[in-house]
Amino acid sequence: MQTFKRIAYVIGILLLIFVALVAWKYPEQKVRQAKLDFEVSSPEENLVKHEPKISEDRAVIEQETFFRGSRGEKDAGPYLNTIVHWDGHGPSKIQLPKEVSDNLRDKNWVAYEPDFKALKLDFAWMEKLTEFDYWASDDNNPHIKPSEHPVFQTLSFPGYMELTNWAKLRLIHGRKTQTMPKALAEVRQLARLIYTNDYLVSAMVAIAILRHEGKFVQNYNPKIFAGWKTVPEETLVRAKRYFWAMPELVDPRLSDETHQRFSGITVGKCQMISEGVFKNIIIRDHLQKMYPGAVKRFDEMVKSSLETCRKSLVHVMWNDTQWKVFGDRPEYAKSLVKPENESEMKWKLLMISPRIEEYFALTMLTISSPNYLKEYQELEPKAE
C-alpha cells in the first residue's frame, strides 16, 4: 500500500511538471510561430518589384507644391479643433443638416441646388483658414491630452466627411454667387490643411477633395474659373497609390539595402512617419530585440522628418518609451479570435502568459495590416 502511494505521488509530481512545461512551452511556441508568420509576410519582394513605378509616381507628384511637407508657421489647430467634429465626440459647431449632407454624398452632387437663403449657412470659418499654413489636429485638441498618454488606438480623428461636404458646398455656393476664384481658393486651402494632419487617411481625404474640385471645374464653363489650375487627374491617381504605399517603406522587416533605396524620399515623408509610428509602436518593446537595425534607422527617420514635417503627437509617442501601447491591461481574449483547431485549455494558457502582448502584437500586424501595395500590384499585366 505504501509503495502504491509513493508511485501515485511520483506520477502526480511528473504530471504537474508536464503541465508546467506545457504552460511554459506552449506560449513560447505560439510566439515563435507568430514571429515566423510576421517575417514571411514581409513586403520587401513586392516593394523592390514595384520600385520603378513608385519612383515614377514620386517624380510626378513632386512637381505639385500642394504635396510639400507640413512644417509651417501658423497652426490652424487652436481654431479648427474647437469647431470640427471629432469621431466619437458628438456634433460639431459646423454640423450640416442631414438632408444637405445626403445630397452632397450623391455621385451627382455637382448638380445639387441647395436653398442657401433658407439654410443660412456661414462660410466665414472657411475664409478664416487663409490665415494658417498647417493644421496640427493633435495639438490644442479638446479630446487629446498628451500629458495623460492616451492609448494610441483610442485617438480621435477629425470628421473628414463633414469637411468634405463643406468643400463641395463652398464650390456650389461660389458658382451661384459668382465668386468662384475665392471659393476655389478656400476649398484648396481646406484640402491643404487636412493634408498637413499627416495621417494616411488625411492624405486620402485631401486627394479626394482635389478630385471633387477637378470634377466641379470640368462640369461648367471654364470662363467662370478665371484660369484656375486644378491638379491633373492622372497626378491624383498616382498620388493615391503612392501615399497608400508609404507605410511599407518603414517596415522593420526590410533589409538595409532595400531601405536605402527609398531613404531619400521627401514627398509623403510626413504621412509615412505617422503611419510608420502607428504600425511600429505596436511592437516597439519587441523591435529592439528582433530588429535593432530597423529601430535605429527608424529613429533617424523620425528625427530627420522634422526638417520638413511639423512635430506631431506621433513624434512624441515614439520618442517616449514610457508611452503605453495597449493601455493598462487590454482584453486580449476579446481582441483575438481563437482558431478552430486550438484547444480551450491551450488558448487559456496563452491568454494568461506574460508573452501574450508579444503574440498579440505580431499576430495583429500580420493579419490586420492592409495591403499597402495593392494598387501597384493591380498595374501588373494580367496573366492570359
Side-chain angles (χ1 to χ4, degrees):
M1 188 67 179
Q2 194 69 23
T3 301
F4 178 78
K5 286 184 177 180
R6 287 174 180 171
I7 293 173
Y9 180 75
V10 171
I11 292 174
I13 293 295
L14 291 174
L15 186 60
L16 286 174
I17 292 174
F18 174 75
V19 171
L21 284 172
V22 171
W24 175 64
K25 279 290 186 181
Y26 182 68
E28 181 181 331
Q29 173 191 339
K30 294 298 288 185
V31 170
R32 192 185 307 119
Q33 183 60 50
K35 285 181 179 179
L36 179 60
D37 293 340
F38 180 62
E39 189 66 40
V40 298
S41 63
S42 169
E44 176 147 1
E45 183 178 344
N46 271 322
L47 199 54
V48 172
K49 182 178 181 179
H50 298 292
E51 181 194 4
K53 193 62 180 179
I54 293 173
S55 297
E56 179 186 310
D57 287 346
R58 182 173 71 243
V60 173
I61 298 166
E62 283 176 336
Q63 303 306 310
E64 295 290 341
T65 58
F66 180 92
F67 296 112
R68 65 190 183 278
S70 61
R71 187 172 181 177
E73 301 296 330
K74 185 69 172 176
D75 177 19
Y79 172 66
L80 265 182
N81 290 348
T82 61
I83 66 174
V84 301
H85 167 71
W86 291 92
D87 295 341
H89 291 284
S92 70
K93 293 182 181 179
I94 54 173
Q95 184 177 21
L96 291 168
K98 184 178 184 302
E99 181 183 355
V100 174
S101 296
D102 290 343
N103 279 294
L104 291 169
R105 281 196 290 267
D106 188 276
K107 64 180 181 179
N108 195 33
W109 65 271
V110 294
Y112 179 41
E113 295 286 348
D115 186 345
F116 286 105
K117 186 175 181 180
L119 288 172
K120 297 180 180 178
L121 297 175
D122 187 357
F123 291 97
W125 72 270
M126 291 188 71
E127 184 176 5
K128 186 175 176 60
L129 298 185
T130 58
E131 300 176 14
F132 312 105
D133 58 2
Y134 76 102
W135 176 15
S137 57
D138 38 31
D139 290 338
N140 301 292
N141 185 325
H143 306 297
I144 298 178
K145 296 179 180 178
S147 60
E148 296 179 0
H149 285 198
V151 180
F152 85 97
Q153 297 102 321
T154 65
L155 295 180
S156 183
F157 291 90
Y160 292 123
M161 177 58 74
E162 183 174 68
L163 295 175
T164 300
N165 284 338
W166 270 99
K168 293 177 178 179
L169 203 58
R170 183 67 186 96
L171 293 172
I172 297 170
H173 184 262
R175 177 176 56 80
K176 290 183 72 72
T177 58
Q178 298 183 351
T179 57
M180 278 311 307
K182 186 171 183 293
L184 285 163
E186 290 177 4
V187 169
R188 180 69 68 88
Q189 175 68 353
L190 175 61
R192 169 63 190 172
L193 291 176
I194 290 173
Y195 175 79
T196 63
N197 283 177
D198 285 349
Y199 301 122
L200 179 58
V201 64
S202 68
M204 294 299 108
V205 172
I207 290 169
I209 292 178
L210 292 178
R211 270 187 162 148
H212 296 322
E213 175 196 301
K215 179 179 180 179
F216 191 84
V217 169
Q218 289 174 0
N219 272 268
Y220 295 99
N221 188 333
K223 290 183 179 179
I224 70 172
F225 299 110
W228 181 263
K229 182 184 177 183
T230 59
V231 179
E233 173 64 16
E234 180 194 355
T235 300
L236 295 177
V237 170
R238 290 177 182 272
K240 183 174 182 292
R241 66 179 173 233
Y242 173 83
F243 280 100
W244 191 253
M246 285 297 94
E248 300 292 36
L249 305 188
V250 290
D251 194 290
R253 294 166 291 187
L254 298 183
S255 66
D256 287 338
E257 180 185 358
T258 298
H259 171 77
Q260 192 62 33
R261 294 187 185 193
F262 300 94
S263 60
I265 175 183
T266 53
V267 62
K269 188 171 187 177
C270 306
Q271 291 76 16
M272 178 179 72
I273 292 298
S274 293
E275 197 72 13
V277 167
F278 283 146
K279 284 184 62 182
N280 293 340
I281 202 171
I282 293 178
I283 55 172
R284 181 181 59 190
D285 297 338
H286 315 292
L287 279 178
Q288 191 64 57
K289 179 176 61 176
M290 295 168 59
Y291 307 101
V295 172
K296 181 179 179 181
R297 71 193 186 201
F298 190 67
D299 280 339
E300 293 171 352
M301 291 184 72
V302 171
K303 183 178 179 180
S304 67
S305 70
L306 294 175
E307 295 173 7
T308 55
C309 308
R310 67 180 181 83
K311 184 177 182 179
S312 66
L313 181 62
V314 296
H315 289 86
V316 179
M317 291 170 69
W318 180 257
N319 290 318
D320 184 353
T321 57
Q322 299 305 310
W323 201 292
K324 293 183 179 180
V325 180
F326 295 109
D328 293 328
R329 184 70 175 102
E331 298 180 10
Y332 297 109
K334 293 182 180 179
S335 302
L336 291 171
V337 177
K338 183 176 78 66
E340 292 182 5
N341 62 347
E342 197 83 62
S343 74
E344 197 68 38
M345 183 190 77
K346 287 184 176 180
W347 188 248
K348 287 180 179 178
L349 285 175
L350 183 61
M351 288 298 110
I352 63 174
S353 169
R355 303 198 69 180
I356 178 59
E357 183 176 307
E358 187 177 2
Y359 172 77
F360 174 86
L362 289 166
T363 300
M364 291 307 293
L365 276 180
T366 303
I367 68 176
S368 66
S369 291
N371 181 2
Y372 292 109
L373 293 170
K374 179 182 178 181
E375 295 202 25
Y376 283 103
Q377 292 172 330
E378 291 175 349
L379 294 176
E380 299 174 15
K382 297 291 188 294
E384 295 295 336

